[in-house]
Amino acid sequence: MLFRAFRFAPFLCLLAAAPAVAAASASLTGQVRDEQGHSVAKARVTLFNQVTGHRQTALTDAKGSFAFPNVPFNDYHLEATAPGFNLWHQDVKLRSTLPAHLNVMLASLGATVAVTEQLGLVEAHPSAHLDIDKSAIELAPAAVQSRAMESILLATPGFTQNENGRFHFRGSHGQVMFVVDGIPVTDQINTTFSNSLDPSQVEGMEIITGGIAAEYGGKPVAVVNMTTQSGLGTS
């Protein structure tokens, strides 16, 4: 028994030394106050996306604070309500692993609330990207389930595939990088070279085709950033 313990000890040390990799998800925290600046306890705050169906609900604590951890990257609508106050709502964009904080001010019932919406035709983002949510993935046609992910990428403008199964963007022979839950995969992911990803397990994906940020490293011609589905908030 002592020999076996020493025999497996190096493997235990390697496991302990392995770095932990966090999934690519956002987090949102905030504080709910009234017009006088007092904290509003037990206010109901809801974060949801009508397209993907993702929904999270939280009640504020005694200090009026709330938190939504592990939120898939996407655009959301945030609502806050409490007895004696008008409904508050705002659109939020969660596309970074950096924690986001939002201050919410509830107006008393009977107060006049002015809601303004700003519609921008151009996103305030330096990269050219295409967002594909879960509903679009479910409707994507595929002759064979094992090639469903390839069909989605080939339907994206600019993507082609050669006879060897390698993806090329706009005729370039550069590398297409895949990022799965924040983990970069620099090798090809398709049925020709490896096991293809199952699109039914993908919550959403962002295909970046221009202005690729330096955080991805290397010289990719395109980045396929995917967030897998989470069991959070489900029964």
Side-chain angles (χ1 to χ4, degrees), residues 1-64:
M1 294 297 295
L2 183 61
F3 172 74
R4 290 183 179 179
F6 281 107
R7 183 179 180 181
F8 288 102
F11 296 97
L12 296 177
C13 293
L14 289 176
L15 291 175
V21 180
S25 59
S27 61
L28 174 65
T29 60
Q31 193 169 27
V32 179
R33 299 180 181 271
D34 58 15
E35 297 171 307
Q36 287 73 36
H38 301 146
S39 301
V40 179
K42 296 184 178 180
R44 180 177 294 273
V45 185
T46 305
L47 181 73
F48 63 92
N49 184 302
Q50 293 284 14
V51 178
T52 64
H54 184 87
R55 177 181 293 267
Q56 289 181 250
T57 303
L59 293 177
T60 58
D61 56 16
K63 297 182 179 179

Side-chain angles (χ1 to χ4, degrees), residues 170-189:
R170 293 178 180 172
S172 173
H173 291 274
Q175 193 173 34
V176 178
M177 176 180 290
F178 293 85
V179 181
V180 183
D181 288 338
I183 302 177
V185 181
T186 56
D187 203 355
Q188 288 283 329
I189 300 181

Side-chain angles (χ1 to χ4, degrees), residues 10-191:
F11 296 97
L12 296 177
C13 293
L14 289 176
L15 291 175
V21 180
S25 59
S27 61
L28 174 65
T29 60
Q31 193 169 27
V32 179
R33 299 180 181 271
D34 58 15
E35 297 171 307
Q36 287 73 36
H38 301 146
S39 301
V40 179
K42 296 184 178 180
R44 180 177 294 273
V45 185
T46 305
L47 181 73
F48 63 92
N49 184 302
Q50 293 284 14
V51 178
T52 64
H54 184 87
R55 177 181 293 267
Q56 289 181 250
T57 303
L59 293 177
T60 58
D61 56 16
K63 297 182 179 179
S65 301
F66 65 90
F68 293 113
N70 300 322
V71 181
F73 291 163
N74 217 322
D75 299 340
Y76 294 93
H77 192 73
L78 186 68
E79 291 184 353
T81 181
F85 294 93
N86 288 317
L87 175 66
W88 178 94
H89 60 91
Q90 179 177 320
D91 293 332
V92 293
K93 295 180 180 291
L94 299 178
R95 298 184 179 276
S96 174
T97 55
L98 297 176
H101 185 82
L102 187 64
N103 292 318
V104 177
M105 188 187 72
L106 296 181
S108 302
L109 285 176
T112 302
V113 180
V115 179
T116 59
E117 293 287 343
Q118 293 183 353
L119 180 62
L121 298 179
V122 181
E123 290 185 341
H125 198 279
S127 66
H129 63 279
L130 176 65
D131 298 326
I132 303 177
D133 54 40
K134 184 170 62 175
S135 61
I137 294 175
E138 292 176 350
L139 297 176
V144 183
Q145 181 64 23
S146 61
R147 294 184 178 270
M149 185 60 71
E150 297 183 20
S151 301
I152 295 174
L153 291 179
L154 291 177
T156 304
F159 273 90
T160 58
Q161 192 176 31
N162 61 13
E163 64 277 4
N164 294 325
R166 294 181 64 91
F167 291 116
H168 298 281
F169 178 69
R170 293 178 180 172
S172 173
H173 291 274
Q175 193 173 34
V176 178
M177 176 180 290
F178 293 85
V179 181
V180 183
D181 288 338
I183 302 177
V185 181
T186 56
D187 203 355
Q188 288 283 329
I189 300 181
N190 50 54
T191 55

